[in-house]
C-alpha cells in the first residue's frame, strides 16, 4: 500500500518523548508523534478537594482530565468538556489505571491532567504514552509502564497501517487502539470502530501489540535517559 508520507505499513512517524517538562507537577511528560503533540502533568497522591463528597475507598484513585487546545479551530464556549475530551479522558483512565498500584496510597487521589496541543492522528496513543511517562516521572508505583499503538484499515479493507496521521484516520475503513503492559502481557485497553472482518481484526490486533512492544522500548529508553540526566554529578576526589 502507498502512504502519502512514504512510510511503510508498519513504520512509525518520527517521535519525541520527554519527561520533566512541567515544573509544578510531581511528574510530567511530552509526546510528539509526527504533528500530534500531547502533554501530561501528574499531581499527587494527595487528598482531593472534594474528598468530603467522595465515597470512602481503601485504595487510591485516579482522576483524568483531557483538554484539547482549540486553535486554529473555533474556540469552545465556557468550561464544558467536549464529547471528544470526555471520551479521551475515560480511555486514558481505563488504559493506565489497572497498572497503577493503587493500594500504595489508600484514600488519596492521583490527578492526571492531559493536554492535546496538536491533533494529527493517533491522539489516544500519544495521551496514553505521555500519561505512562508522567506517572513514572512522578514516582507513582506501577506494575509496568503501559504502551499503546493505533492501527488503521485501508479503505476497501485490503491492508493495515500503523500510527496513522489525521488524514489517514479520516480516510480509513476502520481503526483499532490497543494498550498493553508488556511485562505482564496484559492488554489494558482495546477499542475499534469501522468495518472489519474477523480475520483483519485479528491481524490488526497482532500488528498493534507488536507496535506496543516496539514503543515500550522507547518508553524505557526515555526513562533511563531522564534518570541519567538528573543524577547528581560526582564530586572530584579530594587532593
Amino acid at each position: 500500500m502507498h502512504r502519502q508520507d512514504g512510510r511503510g505499513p508498519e513504520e512509525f512517524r518520527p517521535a519525541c518523548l520527554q519527561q520533566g517538562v512541567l515544573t509544578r507537577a510531581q511528574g510530567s511528560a511530552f509526546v510528539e508523534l509526527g504533528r500530534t503533540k500531547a502533554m501530561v502533568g501528574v499531581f499527587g497522591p494527595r487528598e482531593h478537594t472534594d474528598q468530603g463528597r467522595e465515597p470512602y475507598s481503601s485504595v487510591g484513585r485516579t482522576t483524568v482530565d483531557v483538554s484539547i487546545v482549540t486553535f486554529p479551530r473555533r474556540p469552545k464556549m465556557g468550561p464544558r468538556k467536549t464529547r471528544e475530551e470526555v471520551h479521551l479522558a475515560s480511555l486514558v483512565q481505563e488504559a493506565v489505571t489497572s497498572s497503577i498500584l493503587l493500594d500504595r496510597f489508600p484514600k488519596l487521589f492521583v490527578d492526571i491532567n492531559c493536554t492535546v496541543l496538536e491533533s494529527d492522528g493517533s491522539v489516544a496513543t500519544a495521551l496514553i504514552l505521555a500519561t505512562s511517562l508522567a506517572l513514572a516521572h512522578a514516582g507513582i508505583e506501577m506494575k509496568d509502564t503501559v504502551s499503546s499503538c493505533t492501527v488503521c484499515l485501508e479503505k476497501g479493507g485490503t491492508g493495515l497501517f500503523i500510527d496513522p496521521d489525521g488524514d489517514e484516520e479520516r480516510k480509513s475503513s476502520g481503526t483499532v487502539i490497543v494498550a498493553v503492559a508488556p511485562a505482564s502481557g496484559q492488554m489494558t485497553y482495546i477499542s475499534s470502530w469501522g468495518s472489519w472482518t474477523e480475520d483483519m481484526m485479528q491481524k490488526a490486533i497482532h500488528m498493534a501489540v507488536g507496535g506496543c512492544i516496539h514503543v515500550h522500548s522507547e518508553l524505557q529508553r526515555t526513562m533511563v535517559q531522564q534518570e541519567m540526566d538528573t543524577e547528581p554529578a560526582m564530586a572530584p576526589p579530594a587532593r
Side-chain angles (χ1 to χ4, degrees):
M1 63 169 290
H2 173 71
R3 303 182 76 173
Q4 284 294 112
D5 56 10
R7 286 183 291 150
E10 298 188 53
E11 188 175 350
F12 289 84
R13 291 173 290 177
C16 173
L17 287 71
Q18 292 178 279
Q19 288 178 300
V21 295
L22 299 173
T23 57
R24 294 187 180 182
Q26 271 74 39
S28 60
F30 170 81
V31 168
E32 183 176 6
L33 304 176
R35 290 189 295 181
T36 293
K37 300 177 179 67
M39 186 164 56
V40 174
V42 170
F43 302 86
R46 62 187 182 183
E47 291 188 358
H48 208 270
T49 53
D50 293 330
Q51 193 166 14
R53 305 179 194 173
E54 296 286 344
Y56 173 81
S57 175
S58 61
V59 297
R61 283 177 285 184
T62 60
T63 67
V64 179
D65 178 82
V66 173
S67 296
I68 300 174
V69 176
T70 55
F71 62 87
R73 304 178 189 175
R74 185 176 178 180
K76 291 187 295 184
M77 300 300 291
R80 288 190 59 164
K81 292 293 179 182
T82 66
R83 184 177 300 178
E84 183 180 8
E85 289 169 330
V86 171
H87 170 70
L88 286 169
S90 175
L91 183 157
V92 170
Q93 186 156 28
E94 184 176 344
V96 303
T97 298
S98 62
S99 280
I100 301 173
L101 298 176
L102 298 171
D103 59 332
R104 302 298 171 89
F105 49 96
K107 299 184 284 187
L108 299 178
F109 286 77
V110 169
D111 296 323
I112 301 167
N113 294 344
C114 309
T115 304
V116 179
L117 300 168
E118 191 168 348
S119 174
D120 187 38
S122 301
V123 170
T125 283
L127 286 172
I128 292 169
L129 298 179
T131 299
S132 290
L133 287 173
L135 287 166
H137 185 242
I140 304 299
E141 292 185 72
M142 295 184 288
K143 302 170 192 172
D144 191 16
T145 307
V146 176
S147 183
S148 179
C149 183
T150 302
V151 170
C152 276
L153 178 65
E154 187 180 12
K155 195 165 187 179
T158 57
L160 298 168
F161 50 92
I162 214 163
D163 184 29
D165 62 27
D167 192 51
E168 288 177 325
E169 280 189 350
R170 286 186 291 272
K171 293 179 180 178
S172 71
S173 292
T175 301
V176 171
I177 302 168
V178 168
V180 171
S184 63
Q186 179 187 6
M187 189 178 295
T188 63
Y189 182 84
I190 181 168
S191 69
S192 66
W193 54 90
S195 303
W196 294 91
T197 64
E198 185 176 348
D199 179 60
M200 289 305 289
M201 175 61 74
Q202 291 302 317
K203 289 179 179 178
I205 293 171
H206 179 76
M207 180 184 281
V209 170
C212 287
I213 293 170
H214 168 77
V215 172
H216 190 261
S217 65
E218 297 300 317
L219 295 176
Q220 297 295 112
R221 188 176 293 112
T222 300
M223 291 187 289
V224 168
Q225 186 61 53
Q226 176 69 19
E227 287 182 9
M228 292 173 60
D229 291 345
T230 55
E231 281 182 358
M234 292 182 64
R239 295 185 177 179

